Amino acid sequence: MGTRVLYLARHGAADAFGELTDVGRRQSALLGERLAPLPVTTVWHSPLPRAAASAAVVARHLPGAAVAEAAELVDHVPHVPSPGEMPPSWAGFFDGWDEAQADAGRRTADALVARFAAPPDPASGPDVHEVLLTHDYPIAWLVRDALGAPLVRWLGLASANTALTVIEHRAGQAPNLVMFNDQTHLPAELRWTGFGGAGRP
């Protein structure tokens, strides 16, 4: 029975224009070094420049892996909760979000799960190892899906730049969340970039 192993990572730190910074390139290189010993088949990335650039840096350490864009990995809001589903403090985040935007986000989220959150095709061999360079919200959605958590629980699952999340999918079994938001490949000064001044370990 084959296993599909997803190595999910948020892109490296980016500037206000969405371009990878020097810090983001260093973070991506360290992630690539961490993934180098693994039998990665493909490095998938979001269409957005910060994710594509991160994937290019990571892929330098994975010479046998293909690099490809996946539209489903784009930054998007996967589920807009009803007022009764969330704490009042979260409500302002969704001010001005209309029904068409919510529907588009959910369609993208459904496509993301359909494409990546499934066991491998038996024809592809026993195991498939794929890196997904994407954004905070798609990672949160895939983790929520793996845990079978309520739809609203994608909120509150924060991923740091180039932190590593690993999910395994096997036929006939529940998904296995191996790790979430692991930053041990990053020195302290490169962890939790972009999250403001709040203290974090």
Side-chain angles (χ1 to χ4, degrees), residues 18-59:
E19 300 295 333
L20 208 61
T21 63
D22 289 342
V23 165
R25 281 186 282 276
R26 187 174 169 211
Q27 290 169 325
S28 299
L30 291 168
L31 175 62
E33 289 175 14
R34 181 171 183 181
L35 296 171
L38 302 172
V40 173
T41 52
T42 309
V43 178
W44 299 98
H45 63 81
S46 154
L48 299 180
R50 57 193 183 273
S54 297
V57 174
V58 168

Side-chain angles (χ1 to χ4, degrees), residues 59-84:
R60 291 180 198 144
H61 301 271
L62 305 168
V67 180
E69 180 181 301
E72 298 88 347
L73 294 173
V74 73
D75 202 8
H76 67 282
V77 170
H79 171 68
V80 177
S82 66

Side-chain angles (χ1 to χ4, degrees), residues 52 91 94 115 153 180:
F94 298 102
R115 181 167 184 181
R153 287 304 296 130
F180 173 69

Side-chain angles (χ1 to χ4, degrees), residues 102-130:
D103 288 345
R106 187 56 194 271
R107 284 194 301 273
T108 301
D110 289 345
L112 173 68
V113 168
R115 181 167 184 181
F116 290 108
D121 184 334
S124 64
D127 296 322
V128 175
H129 295 256
E130 298 170 300

Side-chain angles (χ1 to χ4, degrees), residues 102-192:
D103 288 345
R106 187 56 194 271
R107 284 194 301 273
T108 301
D110 289 345
L112 173 68
V113 168
R115 181 167 184 181
F116 290 108
D121 184 334
S124 64
D127 296 322
V128 175
H129 295 256
E130 298 170 300
V131 175
L132 277 57
L133 264 296
T134 182
H135 309 273
D136 192 19
Y137 298 165
I139 294 171
W141 190 253
L142 288 169
V143 169
R144 182 219 59 79
D145 177 77
L147 295 175
L151 300 182
V152 71
R153 287 304 296 130
W154 74 272
L155 288 162
L157 292 171
S159 291
N161 293 118
T162 70
L164 187 60
T165 292
V166 181
I167 302 173
E168 296 175 341
H169 292 275
R170 294 182 182 87
Q173 298 185 25
N176 182 24
L177 179 63
V178 178
M179 68 175 65
F180 173 69
N181 197 47
D182 187 275
Q183 300 172 68
T184 53
H185 52 288
L186 300 175
E189 68 273 14
L190 296 185
R191 298 178 185 180
W192 292 111

